[in-house]
Structures are given as structure tokens and as C-alpha cells.
């Protein structure tokens, strides 16, 4: 029994030393403790490309990165809980453009300018529209752009090249059929006529598909119609303009397109529903995220491989969107956090991520010959992004889009006129923090 007790005590002492870092190596040096950084990320391809680089980062720096990957719907609340604590469990933030105004006003993001200056990181490589949206705010750099999810028009040239369609359109309107169109009204007219034409031929093919479901889907999609028709939420002086005539006209056009150009039920479609229609070969156009282009060319996820092209939203102003890297104000080791951001946004690693399909934000990645060989449509994406318009950067951007999505749905469903719905949005915008 004494021998057993002695063995047990010895083991306890040994394991206790190991657990407390008390073991020794060589000449008695303490082993270095591995730094661990934690990030909360959304479950999507851009995140997969980051995860693929983590072992390389650890090998180069000795810093281990653990990424918690979750659904987008729960990210915001989970981050806020951490950012309002005395110390955050997360060492690096990925911030959606929706949240920039809120996070900046609350002081939750550490200014990056001292780190940028000390490391010599060149922020001029980023597209100005990306830095304006997820980069600098009021002269302070809070983030480096991570990836873009700007919207655009994805369409089927093969469908719109149908000779019978062109002939019938010419006979009815007396003008040539031009697609992609540079005019929003003409696009809606073409989309509606295309649906009618193929229906008359006994073919299930819609001129367009929309994600007009209540809330975020319709709010995001309609912004493209609003911006391309010359509308916006506010003017340059901060006056509310969301119920101006050009926005009302855009909503009339959008409602008409949902009803007459899209499949039945489109007024309730979310993004997945709309993608399913287009990727199954039943729609000729889709105002959606430019990041869907490589997905549509993946045979495991699409039945229209190699058939899609991308263009600007008719009218010329797509909705810009994207995420940025930031350091929490209450991060434990901000220097280590910056070391990771500096690494992941370097040209070499940004290019590696882009090769895997992560949408770029750096102009030198967009123009890189290797990337262009993989994604030749990136020159078009780059041009679209130069004129893309972002959502208002404001503390209450999330409530704004909730109000907007609710009232747009009321108009599309026929419960309100476009003017009535947008007047209600304008009324409620007066109480939002900007």
C-alpha cells in the first residue's frame, strides 16, 4: 500500500508540474507558452479560405488561431456580449458593413492607424469604396477590408440571344432587344416580356427571379433598384429622401417585376429560394451577390455551369457590401491581433485566399494575372465596384433595414402603395440615430 501511495504521489507531482508549466527543458529554460487568438466568423467560403491559412500563420509566428464558425444570424448578438465585457474572448473581429457605425460609435473597435504606421502596411491597395465602407470612418482607420459581397446583375446570354425572343420584342416595341440593359425601366420591360414569351412557347423560363421575402432579402435587393434609379436614404446634407419620387418609381418598377417577371411566390423568396430557381436553369437574370459567379460554375451546386455572365445593375449603381478585420477595444493582446491581420491581408495571403474563391478587396489582387486567369470577369466586378453605393454608415443601420424591409414587403404584397410604404419608412427614420 505504501508503494502504491508513493507512486500515486509521484504521478500527481509530475502532472501538476506539467499542468502548471513547471517542466524543464535542456538547461532549465521554461517552455514558451503558445499564444492563442480567437475569432468568430460566419460559415461561408471566405472563412474557409482563412481557415486554410491558419497552420501557416502558426508556423511563421508561433501564434495559434482558433476560429469559431457560426451562422450569420447569431453573430451580432454574440459579438456585442463580448464587446461590452471587461475583456473579450475574441481577439480579432470580422465586422459586417451593417455594424460599422454601431461598433465605431460605441468605441468597440481599436483604431488601427498606429499599427498600420508601425508596420508600414499600405492601405492604398484597397478599393476606395471598400475603405469608405469597412475601413476609415471620420478620419480614423478602424478596419482593413476582408472580402466584398457587392451585388450585380448575373444573367444568361444564351437565353437572351433567342432569335424568336428578339423578333417578338422588335414587333411589339419597335426597338432592338438589348441585354444587359443600361436602363432600369427597360430591364424590367425586357424581364417581363421574356417571361411572357417563353410561357407562350410552353417553356418554364422567367426573365428574372427576385428575393422579395419580408425583411433583409427584399431590403437588400431593392437597394439596387433604388440606387440605380437615382434614389437614396439621405441626401448629402442628411435630409431623408427615401420617399422621394425616384424611390417611389423604383419601388413601382420592382413590384411590377416581382409580379410579372418572376416565378409565382417570389414575394416570399429568400436568397436560397431565388438562387435555387436561377441555378436550376429557370431564370434568365438575377440581381444578386457577385460572389455567386464561381458557385454557379460549380457542377455540384449548379445546373447552369459556364452559362452566366455578370454586369452592372441596370441604371449603373449596385449595392456595395463587405466585411472588415478589426481589433476589439478589449482584446487581451492587441499586438498579436494586429500581427494576424497584417499577415492575412498581405498580398501573398490575400492572393491565396482569392485563388480559393474569396472575393477580393485589393486592386492588386483584382488585376493579378493568375487571379484574372481563374476569374476573367473580375475586371467587370472591379468596374462595378467603383460606382457601387453602400448602406448608410450609422449606429442604427440595422433598425433602418428592418423598417425598410417591412414596408417594402407591404408594398409588394399590395397592402400599401409604394408612396404610403416609403412615407412610413421616412417617418420612422426620424427617430433613428445617425
Amino acid at each position: 500500500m505504501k508503494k502504491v501511495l508513493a507512486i500515486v504521489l509521484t504521478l500527481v507531482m509530475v502532472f501538476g508540474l506539467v499542468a502548471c508549466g513547471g517542466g524543464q527543458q535542456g538547461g532549465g529554460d521554461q517552455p514558451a507558452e503558445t499564444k492563442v487568438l480567437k475569432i468568430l466568423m460566419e460559415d461561408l467560403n471566405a472563412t474557409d479560405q482563412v481557415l486554410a491559412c491558419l497552420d501557416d500563420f502558426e508556423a511563421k509566428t508561433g501564434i495559434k488561431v482558433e476560429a469559431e464558425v457560426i451562422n450569420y444570424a447569431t453573430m451580432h448578438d454574440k459579438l456585442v456580449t463580448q464587446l461590452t465585457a471587461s475583456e473579450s474572448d475574441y481577439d480579432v473581429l470580422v465586422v459586417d458593413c451593417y455594424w460599422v457605425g454601431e461598433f465605431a460609435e460605441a468605441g468597440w473597435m481599436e483604431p488601427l492607424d498606429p499599427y498600420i504606421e508601425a508596420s508600414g502596411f499600405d492601405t492604398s491597395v484597397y478599393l476606395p469604396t471598400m475603405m469608405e465602407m469597412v475601413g476609415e470612418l471620420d478620419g480614423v482607420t478602424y478596419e482593413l477590408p476582408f472580402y466584398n459581397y457587392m451585388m450585380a446583375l448575373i444573367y444568361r446570354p444564351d437565353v437572351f440571344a433567342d432569335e424568336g425572343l428578339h423578333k417578338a420584342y422588335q414587333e411589339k416595341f419597335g426597338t432592338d432587344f438589348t441585354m444587359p440593359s443600361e436602363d432600369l425601366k427597360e430591364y424590367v420591360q425586357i424581364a417581363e416580356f421574356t417571361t411572357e414569351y417563353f410561357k407562350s412557347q410552353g417553356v418554364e423560363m422567367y426573365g428574372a427571379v427576385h428575393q422579395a421575402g419580408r425583411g433583409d432579402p427584399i431590403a437588400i435587393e431593392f437597394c439596387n433598384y433604388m440606387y440605380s434609379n437615382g434614389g437614396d436614404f439621405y441626401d448629402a446634407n442628411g435630409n431623408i429622401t427615401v420617399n422621394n419620387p425616384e424611390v417611389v418609381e423604383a419601388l413601382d418598377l420592382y413590384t411590377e417585376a416581382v409580379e410579372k417577371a418572376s416565378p409565382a411566390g417570389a414575394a416570399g423568396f429568400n436568397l436560397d429560394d431565388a438562387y435555387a430557381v436561377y441555378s436550376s436553369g429557370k431564370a434568365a437574370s438575377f440581381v444578386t451577390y457577385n460572389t455567386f459567379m464561381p458557385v454557379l460554375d460549380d457542377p455540384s451546386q449548379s445546373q447552369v455551369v459556364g452559362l452566366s455572365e455578370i454586369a452592372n445593375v441596370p441604371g449603373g449603381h449596385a449595392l456595395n457590401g463587405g466585411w472588415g478585420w478589426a481589433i476589439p477595444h478589449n482584446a487581451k493582446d492587441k499586438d498579436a491581433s494586429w500581427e494576424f491581420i497584417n499577415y492575412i491581408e498581405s498580398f501573398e495571403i490575400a492572393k491565396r485566399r482569392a485563388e480559393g474563391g474569396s472575393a477580393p478587396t485589393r486592386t492588386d489582387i483584382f488585376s493579378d494575372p493568375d487571379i484574372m486567369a481563374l476569374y476573367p470577369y473580375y475586371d467587370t466586378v472591379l468596374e462595378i465596384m467603383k460606382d457601387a453605393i453602400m448602406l448608410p454608415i450609422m449606429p442604427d443601420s440595422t433598425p433602418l433595414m428592418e423598417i425598410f424591409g417591412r414596408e417594402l414587403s407591404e408594398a409588394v404584397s399590395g397592402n400599401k402603395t409604394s408612396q404610403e410604404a416609403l412615407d412610413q419608412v421616412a417617418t420612422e427614420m426620424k427617430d433613428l440615430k445617425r
Side-chain angles (χ1 to χ4, degrees):
M1 178 64 73
K2 289 181 180 180
K3 288 182 179 180
V4 172
L5 287 172
I7 292 170
V8 171
L9 287 171
T10 301
L11 289 171
V12 169
M13 290 175 65
V14 170
F15 284 120
L17 285 169
V18 172
C20 296
Q24 293 186 341
Q25 295 179 342
D29 294 335
Q30 298 286 335
E33 184 179 349
T34 301
K35 287 183 181 179
V36 178
L37 299 179
K38 294 185 178 180
I39 313 175
L40 183 70
M41 304 189 77
E42 184 186 4
D43 185 10
L44 74 177
N45 179 54
T47 293
D48 294 339
Q49 303 313 312
V50 171
L51 300 181
C53 299
L54 298 186
D55 288 344
D56 177 64
F57 176 70
E58 184 176 359
K60 288 179 177 176
T61 65
I63 301 172
K64 184 177 179 63
V65 177
E66 296 177 352
E68 181 183 348
V69 181
I70 65 173
N71 183 279
Y72 175 83
T74 58
M75 280 190 72
H76 177 270
D77 290 347
K78 196 161 189 176
L79 284 175
V80 170
T81 299
Q82 293 295 321
L83 292 168
T84 53
S86 58
E87 188 173 84
S88 173
D89 287 343
Y90 302 118
D91 304 280
V92 178
L93 299 177
V94 284
V95 182
D96 191 3
C97 57
Y98 265 51
W99 312 333
V100 172
E102 175 191 1
F103 284 20
E105 190 205 41
W108 291 339
M109 296 186 292
E110 186 75 10
L112 298 183
D113 298 286
Y115 300 94
I116 291 169
E117 184 177 353
S119 63
F121 191 97
D122 181 12
T123 59
S124 69
V125 298
Y126 292 108
L127 281 153
T129 51
M130 291 302 299
M131 282 299 289
E132 183 184 0
M133 180 174 60
V134 283
E136 296 176 354
L137 186 63
D138 298 328
V140 178
T141 307
Y142 290 105
E143 305 170 81
L144 294 186
F146 167 23
Y147 77 94
N148 85 77
Y149 60 80
M150 180 200 72
M151 300 187 82
L153 177 71
I154 293 178
Y155 69 102
R156 293 272 305 276
D158 61 318
V159 174
F160 287 122
D162 185 280
E163 290 184 7
L165 175 63
H166 280 245
K167 182 179 178 181
Y169 188 86
Q170 174 72 36
E171 289 175 353
K172 181 170 183 177
F173 296 105
T175 57
D176 291 335
F177 186 104
T178 306
M179 190 67 188
S181 173
E182 296 181 1
D183 180 79
L184 185 61
K185 291 179 186 177
E186 182 185 49
Y187 167 68
V188 172
Q189 178 175 285
I190 287 172
E192 291 175 8
F193 185 80
T194 300
T195 301
E196 293 171 8
Y197 171 78
F198 282 106
K199 184 178 181 180
S200 72
Q201 304 298 306
V203 177
E204 187 180 11
M205 173 62 70
Y206 302 96
V209 62
H210 293 81
Q211 55 173 55
R214 192 180 185 90
D216 186 75
I218 191 172
I220 289 296
E221 185 174 63
F222 175 70
C223 281
N224 295 275
Y225 277 64
M226 176 174 70
Y227 292 152
S228 289
N229 208 48
D232 208 332
F233 293 97
Y234 300 94
D235 65 17
N237 298 317
N239 300 307
I240 294 169
T241 57
V242 75
N243 56 341
N244 279 12
E246 56 269 25
V247 187
V248 174
E249 181 182 48
L251 184 50
D252 286 340
L253 287 168
Y254 180 83
T255 300
E256 184 180 329
V258 171
E259 180 184 352
K260 297 181 180 180
S262 277
F269 281 7
N270 60 24
L271 175 60
D272 291 341
D273 299 324
Y275 176 81
V277 172
Y278 185 90
S279 64
S280 65
K282 295 178 181 178
S285 68
F286 186 18
V287 174
T288 191
Y289 303 101
N290 78 90
T291 52
F292 272 140
M293 282 294 287
V295 182
L296 288 165
D297 285 337
D298 180 352
S300 68
Q301 303 181 70
S302 169
Q303 298 175 41
V304 292
V305 173
L307 298 178
S308 298
E309 291 188 11
I310 193 166
N312 207 343
V313 175
H317 293 291
L319 172 66
N320 204 6
W323 290 70
W325 298 104
I327 299 175
H329 73 107
N330 53 354
K332 295 181 284 292
D333 189 339
K334 294 172 185 175
D335 289 335
S337 299
W338 170 254
E339 191 168 359
F340 174 74
I341 295 174
N342 190 37
Y343 163 85
I344 205 70
E345 281 302 317
S346 65
F347 175 82
E348 175 191 354
I349 304 305
K351 179 178 176 179
R352 186 187 306 176
R353 288 163 37 218
E355 288 171 334
S358 181
T361 57
R362 297 174 53 127
T363 54
D364 51 0
I365 301 298
F366 270 109
S367 60
D368 182 84
D370 297 330
I371 299 299
M372 284 299 300
L374 286 171
Y375 310 109
Y377 57 87
Y378 268 174
D379 56 349
T380 302
V381 172
L382 183 61
E383 288 304 309
I384 297 170
M385 198 174 293
K386 289 177 181 178
D387 293 319
I389 300 175
M390 63 185 179
L391 295 173
I393 301 297
M394 52 190 280
D396 279 347
S397 58
T398 298
L400 168 61
M401 295 306 283
E402 289 171 353
I403 295 165
F404 199 44
R406 182 194 72 218
E407 292 302 315
L408 292 175
S409 184
E410 289 291 292
V412 168
S413 65
N415 293 330
K416 292 183 179 181
T417 66
S418 296
Q419 188 70 65
E420 289 169 344
L422 293 169
D423 283 345
Q424 183 61 35
V425 175
T427 297
E428 296 188 47
M429 282 175 65
K430 294 173 184 177
D431 296 325
L432 296 181
K433 194 183 299 181
R434 186 166 190 262

